[in-house]
Amino acid sequence: MELLVVIAIIGVLVALLLPAIQAAREAARRAQCQNNMKQIGLGWINHESSNKHFPTGGWSGNWTGDPNRGYGKDQPGAWTYNILSYIELQNLRDLGKGLDWTTAAYADAMVLLHGSPVATYHCPSRRPAKTYPANWPSIRPTPIQTKVQALARDSGISKTDYAANAGNAYHTAAQSFAGVNFWAPDSYNDLTNTRTPPQFGAFEARCEDPNSEYFQTGVSYYRSEIGLQRIEDGTSNTYMVGEKFLATDAYESTAGGSGSQGFSWGENQSMYSGYEWDNHRGAWSQRFAGSSAAAIEAAQPEGDRPGVVPFPEVKFGSAHPGAFNMVFCDGSVHTISYDIDHVTHANLANRLDGNAVQIP
């Protein structure tokens, strides 16, 4: 009888201890996530110091990073690619450097780049730093497509759990929706006028036009070069990078294609792709989305959950209970509640709306 009592007591003690152990583990994982974001923020600030602007958002989800095209608007890859040099990963940033983009050697270098996970870009509460299979339907430049697509499908490509702040713009990805897209070339040959004349200039102008639906209010977007002086609301009042929402079904693979279980438009490409939901997220825009409950909810941050997420996928969020982490343009990291007021969230995402915001 005494033995049964002892066993029962031990069982109760274990039951009481397990939540505490789990809470301690999550606290450690959250701290590591915050440290990752501090490193990312420092990388952004050092990039701005060296290049006089924050890392560009790149061209589109079809394009990926190119070591031979610098750090500004002529770089097709996203911020994740451009800060590699500033987070002590110059070796990755240099893969393919000096090689002709039409050669097999360059394609092999791109396979190595996209097959190398970066621990700093992964939140330990969500998933480990490894490669994840994905369905990346179109990759530029074309000579690398076959090999990189096979890598993505068969063994997986590098991913990120963090996204740059694209503001509260209507369009938060270069290859957008409803038939409206930012222009991106089909080939580098397009840039030499041998086929389609470049249209970059026209779309860049729309990004700066407050009357255009393409108007961009974030800190990294289509061919952006945003310096500190353009963070008009102040660096301590403007998001830089945050954790992105991801359905739990999409944690391990999005290789099945659109409509399949676990597929996500915000996770189907490489983290080095240009301006895309994979590496850019935003906040609610009253002007273009309206004020309905559905429009507000579609852009509100939330914790990861199972199920199919409505298209487009613009939300910030995380695997942490109750809140997600954001690094601001001054490099400070803050934990933000999922219950943040949608107007406050939008104001923090907008670098130039003039609205005074107190960080909740």
Side-chain angles (χ1 to χ4, degrees), residues 40 78-81 83 117-123 126-132 157-164 241-246 251 266-267 269-273 276-281:
I40 289 170
W79 67 272
T80 40
Y81 183 71
I83 69 165
V118 175
T120 304
Y121 289 152
H122 282 278
C123 170
R126 175 176 288 164
R127 54 188 177 179
K130 64 177 185 177
T131 57
Y132 294 88
I157 53 177
S158 51
K159 293 285 188 176
T160 179
D161 292 325
Y162 306 111
V241 174
E243 295 185 83
K244 72 179 189 183
F245 169 82
L246 184 61
Y251 278 7
E267 185 69 7
Q269 293 159 331
S270 164
M271 68 175 178
Y272 299 126
S273 298
E276 249 293 344
W277 294 308
D278 290 57
N279 44 43
H280 290 80
R281 297 294 171 100

mmCIF file of all heavy atoms in Angstrom, residues 40 78-81 83 117-123 126-132 157-164 241-246 251 266-267 269-273 276-281:
data_model
loop_
_atom_site.group_PDB
_atom_site.id
_atom_site.type_symbol
_atom_site.label_atom_id
_atom_site.label_comp_id
_atom_site.label_asym_id
_atom_site.label_seq_id
_atom_site.Cartn_x
_atom_site.Cartn_y
_atom_site.Cartn_z
ATOM 1 N N ILE A 40 20.737 39.521 -36.762
ATOM 2 C CA ILE A 40 20.172 39.987 -38.023
ATOM 3 C C ILE A 40 20.106 41.511 -38.032
ATOM 4 O O ILE A 40 20.480 42.169 -39.018
ATOM 5 C CB ILE A 40 18.773 39.377 -38.250
ATOM 6 C CG1 ILE A 40 18.907 37.875 -38.555
ATOM 7 C CG2 ILE A 40 18.035 40.086 -39.378
ATOM 8 C CD1 ILE A 40 17.592 37.130 -38.570
ATOM 9 N N ALA A 78 17.211 38.723 -52.154
ATOM 10 C CA ALA A 78 16.589 39.460 -51.054
ATOM 11 C C ALA A 78 17.578 39.796 -49.943
ATOM 12 O O ALA A 78 18.764 39.474 -49.992
ATOM 13 C CB ALA A 78 15.414 38.660 -50.490
ATOM 14 N N TRP A 79 17.052 40.418 -48.891
ATOM 15 C CA TRP A 79 17.847 40.859 -47.737
ATOM 16 C C TRP A 79 18.606 39.715 -47.091
ATOM 17 O O TRP A 79 19.734 39.894 -46.611
ATOM 18 C CB TRP A 79 16.935 41.527 -46.709
ATOM 19 C CG TRP A 79 15.951 40.605 -46.050
ATOM 20 C CD1 TRP A 79 14.690 40.293 -46.494
ATOM 21 C CD2 TRP A 79 16.143 39.861 -44.838
ATOM 22 N NE1 TRP A 79 14.092 39.393 -45.640
ATOM 23 C CE2 TRP A 79 14.951 39.122 -44.607
ATOM 24 C CE3 TRP A 79 17.179 39.753 -43.924
ATOM 25 C CZ2 TRP A 79 14.789 38.279 -43.505
ATOM 26 C CZ3 TRP A 79 17.026 38.908 -42.826
ATOM 27 C CH2 TRP A 79 15.837 38.190 -42.625
ATOM 28 N N THR A 80 18.002 38.520 -47.057
ATOM 29 C CA THR A 80 18.648 37.350 -46.463
ATOM 30 C C THR A 80 19.981 37.049 -47.132
ATOM 31 O O THR A 80 20.928 36.595 -46.480
ATOM 32 C CB THR A 80 17.733 36.134 -46.603
ATOM 33 O OG1 THR A 80 17.118 36.169 -47.897
ATOM 34 C CG2 THR A 80 16.642 36.129 -45.556
ATOM 35 N N TYR A 81 20.040 37.297 -48.436
ATOM 36 C CA TYR A 81 21.267 37.071 -49.191
ATOM 37 C C TYR A 81 22.263 38.203 -48.933
ATOM 38 O O TYR A 81 23.454 37.975 -48.742
ATOM 39 C CB TYR A 81 20.947 36.989 -50.679
ATOM 40 C CG TYR A 81 22.135 36.695 -51.556
ATOM 41 C CD1 TYR A 81 22.733 35.442 -51.549
ATOM 42 C CD2 TYR A 81 22.664 37.673 -52.387
ATOM 43 C CE1 TYR A 81 23.838 35.166 -52.351
ATOM 44 C CE2 TYR A 81 23.759 37.412 -53.192
ATOM 45 C CZ TYR A 81 24.340 36.160 -53.169
ATOM 46 O OH TYR A 81 25.439 35.898 -53.963
ATOM 47 N N ILE A 83 22.757 40.287 -46.407
ATOM 48 C CA ILE A 83 23.432 40.503 -45.125
ATOM 49 C C ILE A 83 24.370 39.354 -44.755
ATOM 50 O O ILE A 83 24.994 39.392 -43.691
ATOM 51 C CB ILE A 83 22.444 40.764 -43.973
ATOM 52 C CG1 ILE A 83 21.644 39.502 -43.625
ATOM 53 C CG2 ILE A 83 21.552 41.956 -44.273
ATOM 54 C CD1 ILE A 83 20.923 39.607 -42.278
ATOM 55 N N PRO A 117 21.928 25.397 -45.007
ATOM 56 C CA PRO A 117 21.075 26.108 -44.047
ATOM 57 C C PRO A 117 21.891 27.064 -43.181
ATOM 58 O O PRO A 117 23.088 26.861 -42.966
ATOM 59 C CB PRO A 117 20.480 24.977 -43.205
ATOM 60 C CG PRO A 117 21.465 23.858 -43.324
ATOM 61 C CD PRO A 117 22.040 23.962 -44.709
ATOM 62 N N VAL A 118 21.222 28.113 -42.712
ATOM 63 C CA VAL A 118 21.864 29.112 -41.859
ATOM 64 C C VAL A 118 21.123 29.140 -40.524
ATOM 65 O O VAL A 118 19.944 29.508 -40.463
ATOM 66 C CB VAL A 118 21.830 30.507 -42.516
ATOM 67 C CG1 VAL A 118 22.382 31.566 -41.573
ATOM 68 C CG2 VAL A 118 22.615 30.494 -43.827
ATOM 69 N N ALA A 119 21.806 28.750 -39.456
ATOM 70 C CA ALA A 119 21.168 28.634 -38.146
ATOM 71 C C ALA A 119 20.579 29.962 -37.675
ATOM 72 O O ALA A 119 19.523 29.990 -37.029
ATOM 73 C CB ALA A 119 22.164 28.106 -37.124
ATOM 74 N N THR A 120 21.222 31.075 -38.016
ATOM 75 C CA THR A 120 20.748 32.389 -37.585
ATOM 76 C C THR A 120 19.362 32.700 -38.136
ATOM 77 O O THR A 120 18.628 33.499 -37.554
ATOM 78 C CB THR A 120 21.739 33.480 -38.030
ATOM 79 O OG1 THR A 120 23.030 33.170 -37.508
ATOM 80 C CG2 THR A 120 21.323 34.855 -37.546
ATOM 81 N N TYR A 121 18.991 32.084 -39.231
ATOM 82 C CA TYR A 121 17.701 32.359 -39.870
ATOM 83 C C TYR A 121 16.588 31.423 -39.393
ATOM 84 O O TYR A 121 15.489 31.434 -39.961
ATOM 85 C CB TYR A 121 17.831 32.247 -41.384
ATOM 86 C CG TYR A 121 18.626 33.365 -42.027
ATOM 87 C CD1 TYR A 121 19.328 33.164 -43.217
ATOM 88 C CD2 TYR A 121 18.684 34.632 -41.458
ATOM 89 C CE1 TYR A 121 20.040 34.188 -43.827
ATOM 90 C CE2 TYR A 121 19.399 35.660 -42.045
ATOM 91 C CZ TYR A 121 20.073 35.435 -43.237
ATOM 92 O OH TYR A 121 20.785 36.456 -43.831
ATOM 93 N N HIS A 122 16.851 30.621 -38.365
ATOM 94 C CA HIS A 122 15.838 29.673 -37.895
ATOM 95 C C HIS A 122 15.492 29.913 -36.429
ATOM 96 O O HIS A 122 16.373 30.083 -35.592
ATOM 97 C CB HIS A 122 16.315 28.235 -38.073
ATOM 98 C CG HIS A 122 16.207 27.740 -39.472
ATOM 99 N ND1 HIS A 122 15.031 27.252 -40.008
ATOM 100 C CD2 HIS A 122 17.122 27.680 -40.465
ATOM 101 C CE1 HIS A 122 15.233 26.907 -41.260
ATOM 102 N NE2 HIS A 122 16.496 27.164 -41.570
ATOM 103 N N CYS A 123 14.194 29.919 -36.138
ATOM 104 C CA CYS A 123 13.732 29.990 -34.761
ATOM 105 C C CYS A 123 13.697 28.579 -34.184
ATOM 106 O O CYS A 123 12.995 27.709 -34.725
ATOM 107 C CB CYS A 123 12.337 30.606 -34.690
ATOM 108 S SG CYS A 123 11.569 30.471 -33.064
ATOM 109 N N ARG A 126 10.439 26.640 -33.625
ATOM 110 C CA ARG A 126 9.678 26.153 -34.773
ATOM 111 C C ARG A 126 10.289 24.903 -35.378
ATOM 112 O O ARG A 126 9.613 23.898 -35.565
ATOM 113 C CB ARG A 126 9.566 27.243 -35.839
ATOM 114 C CG ARG A 126 8.879 26.770 -37.134
ATOM 115 C CD ARG A 126 8.706 27.898 -38.125
ATOM 116 N NE ARG A 126 7.669 28.818 -37.686
ATOM 117 C CZ ARG A 126 7.494 30.037 -38.177
ATOM 118 N NH1 ARG A 126 8.338 30.501 -39.091
ATOM 119 N NH2 ARG A 126 6.523 30.809 -37.734
ATOM 120 N N ARG A 127 11.573 24.978 -35.742
ATOM 121 C CA ARG A 127 12.181 23.863 -36.462
ATOM 122 C C ARG A 127 13.696 24.008 -36.461
ATOM 123 O O ARG A 127 14.217 25.123 -36.307
ATOM 124 C CB ARG A 127 11.664 23.809 -37.899
ATOM 125 C CG ARG A 127 11.842 25.114 -38.663
ATOM 126 C CD ARG A 127 11.141 25.077 -40.014
ATOM 127 N NE ARG A 127 11.280 26.362 -40.687
ATOM 128 C CZ ARG A 127 10.778 26.618 -41.892
ATOM 129 N NH1 ARG A 127 10.100 25.680 -42.545
ATOM 130 N NH2 ARG A 127 10.929 27.798 -42.451
ATOM 131 N N PRO A 128 14.405 22.916 -36.667
ATOM 132 C CA PRO A 128 15.868 22.981 -36.666
ATOM 133 C C PRO A 128 16.414 23.595 -37.951
ATOM 134 O O PRO A 128 15.706 23.694 -38.963
ATOM 135 C CB PRO A 128 16.282 21.509 -36.539
ATOM 136 C CG PRO A 128 15.138 20.749 -37.133
ATOM 137 C CD PRO A 128 13.910 21.527 -36.781
ATOM 138 N N ALA A 129 17.653 24.000 -37.896
ATOM 139 C CA ALA A 129 18.318 24.569 -39.065
ATOM 140 C C ALA A 129 18.764 23.444 -39.993
ATOM 141 O O ALA A 129 19.789 22.806 -39.773
ATOM 142 C CB ALA A 129 19.505 25.418 -38.633
ATOM 143 N N LYS A 130 17.964 23.188 -41.006
ATOM 144 C CA LYS A 130 18.289 22.208 -42.024
ATOM 145 C C LYS A 130 17.593 22.644 -43.309
ATOM 146 O O LYS A 130 16.928 23.677 -43.345
ATOM 147 C CB LYS A 130 17.827 20.815 -41.602
ATOM 148 C CG LYS A 130 16.314 20.685 -41.455
ATOM 149 C CD LYS A 130 15.896 19.268 -41.103
ATOM 150 C CE LYS A 130 14.377 19.121 -41.092
ATOM 151 N NZ LYS A 130 13.951 17.736 -40.815
ATOM 152 N N THR A 131 17.752 21.882 -44.375
ATOM 153 C CA THR A 131 17.059 22.213 -45.612
ATOM 154 C C THR A 131 15.669 21.579 -45.620
ATOM 155 O O THR A 131 15.440 20.553 -44.979
ATOM 156 C CB THR A 131 17.853 21.731 -46.833
ATOM 157 O OG1 THR A 131 18.079 20.318 -46.723
ATOM 158 C CG2 THR A 131 19.184 22.463 -46.937
ATOM 159 N N TYR A 132 14.752 22.208 -46.364
ATOM 160 C CA TYR A 132 13.372 21.739 -46.414
ATOM 161 C C TYR A 132 12.890 21.678 -47.865
ATOM 162 O O TYR A 132 13.091 22.633 -48.628
ATOM 163 C CB TYR A 132 12.469 22.672 -45.603
ATOM 164 C CG TYR A 132 12.774 22.629 -44.124
ATOM 165 C CD1 TYR A 132 13.739 23.470 -43.564
ATOM 166 C CD2 TYR A 132 12.120 21.726 -43.286
ATOM 167 C CE1 TYR A 132 14.040 23.419 -42.207
ATOM 168 C CE2 TYR A 132 12.412 21.676 -41.929
ATOM 169 C CZ TYR A 132 13.370 22.517 -41.402
ATOM 170 O OH TYR A 132 13.670 22.454 -40.060
ATOM 171 N N ILE A 157 15.890 22.944 -49.727
ATOM 172 C CA ILE A 157 16.658 24.172 -49.872
ATOM 173 C C ILE A 157 16.636 24.963 -48.564
ATOM 174 O O ILE A 157 15.869 24.670 -47.656
ATOM 175 C CB ILE A 157 16.111 25.044 -51.024
ATOM 176 C CG1 ILE A 157 14.596 25.268 -50.841
ATOM 177 C CG2 ILE A 157 16.427 24.442 -52.364
ATOM 178 C CD1 ILE A 157 13.986 26.181 -51.892
ATOM 179 N N SER A 158 17.491 25.959 -48.487
ATOM 180 C CA SER A 158 17.594 26.787 -47.285
ATOM 181 C C SER A 158 16.351 27.649 -47.113
ATOM 182 O O SER A 158 15.815 28.196 -48.077
ATOM 183 C CB SER A 158 18.837 27.666 -47.363
ATOM 184 O OG SER A 158 18.884 28.373 -48.589
ATOM 185 N N LYS A 159 15.888 27.776 -45.870
ATOM 186 C CA LYS A 159 14.675 28.526 -45.540
ATOM 187 C C LYS A 159 14.959 29.531 -44.431
ATOM 188 O O LYS A 159 15.996 29.493 -43.777
ATOM 189 C CB LYS A 159 13.575 27.559 -45.077
ATOM 190 C CG LYS A 159 13.068 26.628 -46.180
ATOM 191 C CD LYS A 159 12.190 27.385 -47.135
ATOM 192 C CE LYS A 159 11.503 26.474 -48.120
ATOM 193 N NZ LYS A 159 10.568 27.218 -48.987
ATOM 194 N N THR A 160 13.990 30.405 -44.188
ATOM 195 C CA THR A 160 14.096 31.352 -43.082
ATOM 196 C C THR A 160 12.781 31.435 -42.326
ATOM 197 O O THR A 160 11.704 31.288 -42.919
ATOM 198 C CB THR A 160 14.483 32.756 -43.583
ATOM 199 O OG1 THR A 160 14.553 33.649 -42.456
ATOM 200 C CG2 THR A 160 13.466 33.310 -44.573
ATOM 201 N N ASP A 161 12.867 31.669 -41.024
ATOM 202 C CA ASP A 161 11.687 31.883 -40.193
ATOM 203 C C ASP A 161 11.458 33.366 -39.924
ATOM 204 O O ASP A 161 10.554 33.724 -39.166
ATOM 205 C CB ASP A 161 11.843 31.142 -38.861
ATOM 206 C CG ASP A 161 11.823 29.629 -39.033
ATOM 207 O OD1 ASP A 161 11.081 29.151 -39.912
ATOM 208 O OD2 ASP A 161 12.551 28.937 -38.304
ATOM 209 N N TYR A 162 12.271 34.208 -40.560
ATOM 210 C CA TYR A 162 12.179 35.652 -40.338
ATOM 211 C C TYR A 162 11.882 36.376 -41.649
ATOM 212 O O TYR A 162 12.287 35.929 -42.726
ATOM 213 C CB TYR A 162 13.475 36.170 -39.727
ATOM 214 C CG TYR A 162 13.874 35.430 -38.474
ATOM 215 C CD1 TYR A 162 14.991 34.589 -38.441
ATOM 216 C CD2 TYR A 162 13.111 35.535 -37.312
ATOM 217 C CE1 TYR A 162 15.347 33.900 -37.291
ATOM 218 C CE2 TYR A 162 13.458 34.843 -36.156
ATOM 219 C CZ TYR A 162 14.580 34.035 -36.152
ATOM 220 O OH TYR A 162 14.910 33.338 -35.015
ATOM 221 N N ALA A 163 11.196 37.493 -41.542
ATOM 222 C CA ALA A 163 10.790 38.245 -42.727
ATOM 223 C C ALA A 163 11.033 39.733 -42.523
ATOM 224 O O ALA A 163 10.842 40.265 -41.427
ATOM 225 C CB ALA A 163 9.315 38.002 -43.031
ATOM 226 N N ALA A 164 11.448 40.409 -43.593
ATOM 227 C CA ALA A 164 11.650 41.853 -43.538
ATOM 228 C C ALA A 164 10.307 42.567 -43.512
ATOM 229 O O ALA A 164 9.293 42.057 -43.995
ATOM 230 C CB ALA A 164 12.464 42.311 -44.742
ATOM 231 N N VAL A 241 12.732 43.711 -39.048
ATOM 232 C CA VAL A 241 12.554 42.297 -39.384
ATOM 233 C C VAL A 241 11.787 41.639 -38.246
ATOM 234 O O VAL A 241 11.985 41.979 -37.072
ATOM 235 C CB VAL A 241 13.918 41.587 -39.562
ATOM 236 C CG1 VAL A 241 13.733 40.084 -39.770
ATOM 237 C CG2 VAL A 241 14.683 42.167 -40.742
ATOM 238 N N GLY A 242 10.914 40.700 -38.593
ATOM 239 C CA GLY A 242 10.186 39.987 -37.558
ATOM 240 C C GLY A 242 10.017 38.518 -37.883
ATOM 241 O O GLY A 242 10.347 38.065 -38.979
ATOM 242 N N GLU A 243 9.497 37.799 -36.922
ATOM 243 C CA GLU A 243 9.171 36.398 -37.169
ATOM 244 C C GLU A 243 7.942 36.317 -38.080
ATOM 245 O O GLU A 243 7.005 37.100 -37.940
ATOM 246 C CB GLU A 243 8.891 35.687 -35.854
ATOM 247 C CG GLU A 243 10.092 35.611 -34.938
ATOM 248 C CD GLU A 243 9.805 34.784 -33.702
ATOM 249 O OE1 GLU A 243 9.915 33.540 -33.782
ATOM 250 O OE2 GLU A 243 9.448 35.376 -32.670
ATOM 251 N N LYS A 244 7.953 35.376 -38.991
ATOM 252 C CA LYS A 244 6.828 35.249 -39.916
ATOM 253 C C LYS A 244 5.893 34.123 -39.488
ATOM 254 O O LYS A 244 6.330 33.115 -38.915
ATOM 255 C CB LYS A 244 7.330 34.993 -41.341
ATOM 256 C CG LYS A 244 7.920 33.600 -41.588
ATOM 257 C CD LYS A 244 8.360 33.440 -43.041
ATOM 258 C CE LYS A 244 8.747 31.990 -43.338
ATOM 259 N NZ LYS A 244 9.238 31.807 -44.721
ATOM 260 N N PHE A 245 4.624 34.312 -39.756
ATOM 261 C CA PHE A 245 3.647 33.263 -39.504
ATOM 262 C C PHE A 245 3.854 32.120 -40.493
ATOM 263 O O PHE A 245 4.162 32.339 -41.664
ATOM 264 C CB PHE A 245 2.230 33.812 -39.656
ATOM 265 C CG PHE A 245 1.171 32.738 -39.668
ATOM 266 C CD1 PHE A 245 0.691 32.199 -38.478
ATOM 267 C CD2 PHE A 245 0.676 32.239 -40.857
ATOM 268 C CE1 PHE A 245 -0.257 31.195 -38.474
ATOM 269 C CE2 PHE A 245 -0.280 31.228 -40.877
ATOM 270 C CZ PHE A 245 -0.751 30.714 -39.686
ATOM 271 N N LEU A 246 3.648 30.895 -40.016
ATOM 272 C CA LEU A 246 3.707 29.728 -40.889
ATOM 273 C C LEU A 246 2.784 28.654 -40.344
ATOM 274 O O LEU A 246 2.836 28.325 -39.154
ATOM 275 C CB LEU A 246 5.139 29.183 -40.977
ATOM 276 C CG LEU A 246 5.386 28.021 -41.939
ATOM 277 C CD1 LEU A 246 5.070 28.430 -43.369
ATOM 278 C CD2 LEU A 246 6.827 27.541 -41.839
ATOM 279 N N TYR A 251 5.664 23.185 -42.020
ATOM 280 C CA TYR A 251 6.976 23.193 -41.377
ATOM 281 C C TYR A 251 8.014 22.371 -42.144
ATOM 282 O O TYR A 251 9.131 22.813 -42.365
ATOM 283 C CB TYR A 251 6.878 22.632 -39.956
ATOM 284 C CG TYR A 251 6.413 23.598 -38.894
ATOM 285 C CD1 TYR A 251 5.957 24.867 -39.211
ATOM 286 C CD2 TYR A 251 6.448 23.222 -37.550
ATOM 287 C CE1 TYR A 251 5.528 25.741 -38.224
ATOM 288 C CE2 TYR A 251 6.032 24.093 -36.553
ATOM 289 C CZ TYR A 251 5.566 25.350 -36.893
ATOM 290 O OH TYR A 251 5.156 26.211 -35.900
ATOM 291 N N GLY A 266 3.852 31.320 -48.805
ATOM 292 C CA GLY A 266 4.881 32.048 -48.088
ATOM 293 C C GLY A 266 6.052 31.188 -47.675
ATOM 294 O O GLY A 266 6.843 31.574 -46.808
ATOM 295 N N GLU A 267 6.177 30.011 -48.314
ATOM 296 C CA GLU A 267 7.228 29.075 -47.920
ATOM 297 C C GLU A 267 7.640 28.175 -49.078
ATOM 298 O O GLU A 267 8.337 27.204 -48.890
ATOM 299 C CB GLU A 267 6.712 28.229 -46.745
ATOM 300 C CG GLU A 267 7.692 27.272 -46.112
ATOM 301 C CD GLU A 267 8.815 27.930 -45.332
ATOM 302 O OE1 GLU A 267 8.770 29.161 -45.152
ATOM 303 O OE2 GLU A 267 9.720 27.218 -44.892
ATOM 304 N N GLN A 269 9.500 28.888 -51.789
ATOM 305 C CA GLN A 269 10.704 29.240 -52.516
ATOM 306 C C GLN A 269 11.883 29.324 -51.555
ATOM 307 O O GLN A 269 11.752 29.058 -50.364
ATOM 308 C CB GLN A 269 10.483 30.575 -53.255
ATOM 309 C CG GLN A 269 9.438 30.423 -54.356
ATOM 310 C CD GLN A 269 8.819 31.748 -54.766
ATOM 311 O OE1 GLN A 269 8.713 32.678 -53.977
ATOM 312 N NE2 GLN A 269 8.375 31.823 -56.006
ATOM 313 N N SER A 270 13.030 29.700 -52.088
ATOM 314 C CA SER A 270 14.217 29.822 -51.249
ATOM 315 C C SER A 270 14.162 31.090 -50.414
ATOM 316 O O SER A 270 13.519 32.076 -50.779
ATOM 317 C CB SER A 270 15.464 29.850 -52.128
ATOM 318 O OG SER A 270 16.579 30.330 -51.418
ATOM 319 N N MET A 271 14.882 31.096 -49.310
ATOM 320 C CA MET A 271 14.953 32.323 -48.514
ATOM 321 C C MET A 271 15.739 33.412 -49.237
ATOM 322 O O MET A 271 15.674 34.583 -48.856
ATOM 323 C CB MET A 271 15.588 32.045 -47.164
ATOM 324 C CG MET A 271 17.056 31.689 -47.182
ATOM 325 S SD MET A 271 17.651 31.541 -45.473
ATOM 326 C CE MET A 271 19.344 31.060 -45.745
ATOM 327 N N TYR A 272 16.479 33.056 -50.282
ATOM 328 C CA TYR A 272 17.252 34.044 -51.027
ATOM 329 C C TYR A 272 16.478 34.629 -52.205
ATOM 330 O O TYR A 272 17.001 35.485 -52.929
ATOM 331 C CB TYR A 272 18.554 33.419 -51.536
ATOM 332 C CG TYR A 272 19.460 32.921 -50.442
ATOM 333 C CD1 TYR A 272 19.926 31.612 -50.445
ATOM 334 C CD2 TYR A 272 19.856 33.758 -49.408
ATOM 335 C CE1 TYR A 272 20.771 31.148 -49.435
ATOM 336 C CE2 TYR A 272 20.688 33.299 -48.396
ATOM 337 C CZ TYR A 272 21.144 31.990 -48.418
ATOM 338 O OH TYR A 272 21.970 31.544 -47.412
ATOM 339 N N SER A 273 15.242 34.174 -52.431
ATOM 340 C CA SER A 273 14.430 34.731 -53.507
ATOM 341 C C SER A 273 14.263 36.225 -53.320
ATOM 342 O O SER A 273 14.329 36.739 -52.201
ATOM 343 C CB SER A 273 13.043 34.080 -53.523
ATOM 344 O OG SER A 273 13.127 32.699 -53.766
ATOM 345 N N GLU A 276 9.350 38.611 -51.910
ATOM 346 C CA GLU A 276 8.339 37.554 -51.855
ATOM 347 C C GLU A 276 7.869 37.368 -50.421
ATOM 348 O O GLU A 276 8.521 37.790 -49.475
ATOM 349 C CB GLU A 276 8.941 36.233 -52.373
ATOM 350 C CG GLU A 276 8.368 35.776 -53.699
ATOM 351 C CD GLU A 276 6.890 35.384 -53.573
ATOM 352 O OE1 GLU A 276 6.386 35.183 -52.454
ATOM 353 O OE2 GLU A 276 6.238 35.266 -54.624
ATOM 354 N N TRP A 277 6.744 36.698 -50.251
ATOM 355 C CA TRP A 277 6.207 36.431 -48.922
ATOM 356 C C TRP A 277 7.086 35.468 -48.129
ATOM 357 O O TRP A 277 6.993 35.421 -46.911
ATOM 358 C CB TRP A 277 4.792 35.862 -49.029
ATOM 359 C CG TRP A 277 3.817 36.848 -49.577
ATOM 360 C CD1 TRP A 277 3.596 38.115 -49.126
ATOM 361 C CD2 TRP A 277 2.962 36.663 -50.689
ATOM 362 N NE1 TRP A 277 2.628 38.735 -49.879
ATOM 363 C CE2 TRP A 277 2.221 37.860 -50.857
ATOM 364 C CE3 TRP A 277 2.718 35.612 -51.565
ATOM 365 C CZ2 TRP A 277 1.272 38.025 -51.856
ATOM 366 C CZ3 TRP A 277 1.771 35.776 -52.563
ATOM 367 C CH2 TRP A 277 1.071 36.976 -52.697
ATOM 368 N N ASP A 278 7.926 34.711 -48.819
ATOM 369 C CA ASP A 278 8.850 33.828 -48.113
ATOM 370 C C ASP A 278 9.764 34.604 -47.167
ATOM 371 O O ASP A 278 10.178 34.086 -46.130
ATOM 372 C CB ASP A 278 9.719 33.050 -49.113
ATOM 373 C CG ASP A 278 8.926 32.015 -49.888
ATOM 374 O OD1 ASP A 278 7.948 32.393 -50.548
ATOM 375 O OD2 ASP A 278 9.287 30.834 -49.822
ATOM 376 N N ASN A 279 10.104 35.843 -47.533
ATOM 377 C CA ASN A 279 11.062 36.608 -46.744
ATOM 378 C C ASN A 279 10.637 38.048 -46.478
ATOM 379 O O ASN A 279 11.437 38.846 -45.976
ATOM 380 C CB ASN A 279 12.442 36.583 -47.421
ATOM 381 C CG ASN A 279 12.339 36.821 -48.917
ATOM 382 O OD1 ASN A 279 11.591 37.689 -49.362
ATOM 383 N ND2 ASN A 279 13.092 36.052 -49.691
ATOM 384 N N HIS A 280 9.401 38.405 -46.832
ATOM 385 C CA HIS A 280 8.847 39.728 -46.545
ATOM 386 C C HIS A 280 7.419 39.569 -46.040
ATOM 387 O O HIS A 280 6.645 38.790 -46.603
ATOM 388 C CB HIS A 280 8.834 40.615 -47.792
ATOM 389 C CG HIS A 280 10.179 41.054 -48.250
ATOM 390 N ND1 HIS A 280 11.013 40.226 -48.984
ATOM 391 C CD2 HIS A 280 10.860 42.219 -48.075
ATOM 392 C CE1 HIS A 280 12.137 40.874 -49.250
ATOM 393 N NE2 HIS A 280 12.068 42.079 -48.712
ATOM 394 N N ARG A 281 7.059 40.302 -45.011
ATOM 395 C CA ARG A 281 5.688 40.303 -44.508
ATOM 396 C C ARG A 281 5.278 41.738 -44.215
ATOM 397 O O ARG A 281 6.100 42.649 -44.177
ATOM 398 C CB ARG A 281 5.562 39.426 -43.257
ATOM 399 C CG ARG A 281 5.861 37.930 -43.503
ATOM 400 C CD ARG A 281 4.833 37.280 -44.416
ATOM 401 N NE ARG A 281 5.210 35.946 -44.822
ATOM 402 C CZ ARG A 281 4.737 34.838 -44.260
ATOM 403 N NH1 ARG A 281 3.895 34.912 -43.237
ATOM 404 N NH2 ARG A 281 5.106 33.656 -44.710
#
